[in-house]
Amino acid sequence: MVLIVQRSYLAIVLMLWFVNVSLAKAPVISSKEQVLVNKLRSLVINKLTANYMKSDAYLVKWLKAKDYDVNAAKESLEKTLIWRKETKADTLPYEDFSHLSKQYVLDFSVRDTSGRPVVLIPFGDWNIRRKALVGKVVSDLGGRLDFLEEKTAQLAYNLTGDPTSMLIVDLNGFSFTQHGCAGCVPFYLNWVRHHEIHYPYNFYKVICINTPAIFDPILRLMRPLMTASTRDAFRTVGFKREEFMKDILETVAPEVLPYRFGGTKKSKT
């Protein structure tokens, strides 16, 4: 009798686990969106290289970015596919960035409560000026951010079936000298343009914490380059811990998040 009960309990646990995983891997799109997604997929399927790009969740992003105009979405996506081929974007997550990883940290270890990646960027520690002075801000840091975009898309899709993630950017340490130089600001603006062209809707939420007042002029230049959806997803919070904790802990458990980023986990990050 005990054995039967144990087996029944185990069966229920496994069933609930399967349901939860299935739900996590099934981003919801409407029936009308599904029709348009299927049409777009039929036009580009032979050109899609990465697995996540064939998913409904990926293709619907391009439709949203073009107000559900299938032909416009196709045209934009095809331009990105040319760029991806030229830059070998599919293999970016496997590139060796060891020469940058210690000074320009990207932490992919955290997950939100739905299992999606939460990428932590201690941007205040990044020395953008150093790369700008030697003419490597685009080749090195541009490549680093392409790596971020592509790795999060592939990782999120593998984890949940939805290639969408969250970013938490710590601006503590941000300064005009290190981050606001003449060669730094154009880099930020180009990244926003690049993101909107090649990785629309890649992040469902972007939170900048410990945001100093000196970041405001740069943000004012960035905002007009953002789509409405990116502006909606983008939030800046000051140095009051309780303020950014409230935003972040809506979707991330405190015990998995380093203290620096609003959680309770002890970390070197």
Side-chain angles (χ1 to χ4, degrees):
M1 182 67 176
V2 173
L3 182 59
I4 293 174
V5 171
Q6 288 176 336
R7 286 179 175 175
S8 299
Y9 176 76
L10 179 60
I12 292 171
V13 169
L14 289 173
M15 182 179 70
L16 290 173
W17 175 85
F18 177 78
V19 169
N20 286 333
V21 169
S22 299
L23 288 173
K25 289 183 176 291
V28 177
I29 64 175
S30 70
S31 57
K32 291 183 179 179
E33 286 177 327
Q34 187 68 65
V35 171
L36 296 174
V37 163
N38 292 343
K39 185 175 181 180
L40 177 59
R41 182 186 288 110
S42 70
L43 296 172
V44 297
I45 186 64
N46 293 329
K47 301 176 183 179
L48 303 178
T49 51
N51 285 336
Y52 78 87
M53 299 173 72
K54 302 171 186 177
S55 68
D56 292 349
Y58 177 77
L59 292 172
V60 78
K61 294 180 182 185
W62 292 91
L63 290 166
K64 288 179 179 178
K66 296 299 176 181
D67 295 322
Y68 295 96
D69 183 324
V70 174
N71 290 328
K74 173 180 175 288
E75 182 179 346
S76 293
L77 179 51
E78 285 180 335
K79 289 179 180 178
T80 284
L81 293 172
I82 293 171
W83 168 81
R84 290 180 65 87
K85 185 176 181 180
E86 292 173 347
T87 58
K88 300 179 180 178
D90 289 355
T91 62
L92 275 172
Y94 313 104
E95 294 291 328
D96 181 11
F97 285 94
S98 56
H99 63 297
L100 298 171
S101 58
K102 290 184 179 180
Q103 293 180 328
Y104 302 93
V105 173
L106 298 171
D107 183 351
F108 296 90
S109 65
V110 178
R111 306 288 178 263
D112 69 10
T113 52
S114 299
R116 293 174 294 189
V118 178
V119 185
L120 311 178
I121 308 179
F123 196 78
D125 298 343
W126 286 32
N127 193 330
I128 309 300
R129 182 173 180 270
R130 178 182 299 163
K131 292 296 181 181
L133 288 175
V134 295
K136 290 189 175 182
V137 69
V138 174
S139 61
D140 281 1
L141 300 188
R144 190 74 172 139
L145 294 179
D146 280 342
F147 167 80
L148 161 68
E149 298 267 21
E150 188 63 25
K151 179 163 182 174
T152 52
Q154 293 191 24
L155 180 62
Y157 175 72
N158 291 337
L159 289 170
T160 67
D162 181 1
T164 308
S165 305
M166 175 179 174
L167 286 186
I168 306 177
V169 184
D170 183 8
L171 294 175
N172 189 25
F174 187 96
S175 69
F176 268 131
T177 302
Q178 193 165 290
H179 302 89
C181 66
C184 301
V185 176
F187 169 64
Y188 308 143
L189 304 184
N190 286 333
W191 182 44
V192 174
R193 294 189 192 98
H194 186 76
H195 167 80
E196 299 293 4
I197 292 171
H198 298 305
Y199 290 96
Y201 293 88
N202 210 28
F203 304 108
Y204 71 87
K205 184 183 288 187
V206 179
I207 300 179
C208 293
I209 63 174
N210 297 315
T211 307
I214 58 173
F215 183 68
D216 288 346
I218 296 174
L219 184 58
R220 284 198 293 271
L221 294 174
M222 294 170 63
R223 282 195 180 277
L225 304 175
M226 299 177 182
T227 61
S229 62
T230 300
R231 288 193 296 271
D232 290 343
F234 196 93
R235 177 157 166 71
T236 58
V237 189
F239 288 87
K240 291 185 179 180
R241 183 175 174 82
E242 61 273 17
E243 288 184 9
F244 63 75
M245 282 179 66
K246 181 180 179 181
D247 262 357
I248 292 169
L249 300 184
E250 288 178 355
T251 49
V252 187
E255 63 270 16
V256 303
L257 195 64
Y259 184 84
R260 173 175 180 171
F261 290 90
T264 57
K265 182 181 179 182
K266 293 182 179 180
S267 172
K268 295 179 181 179
T269 303

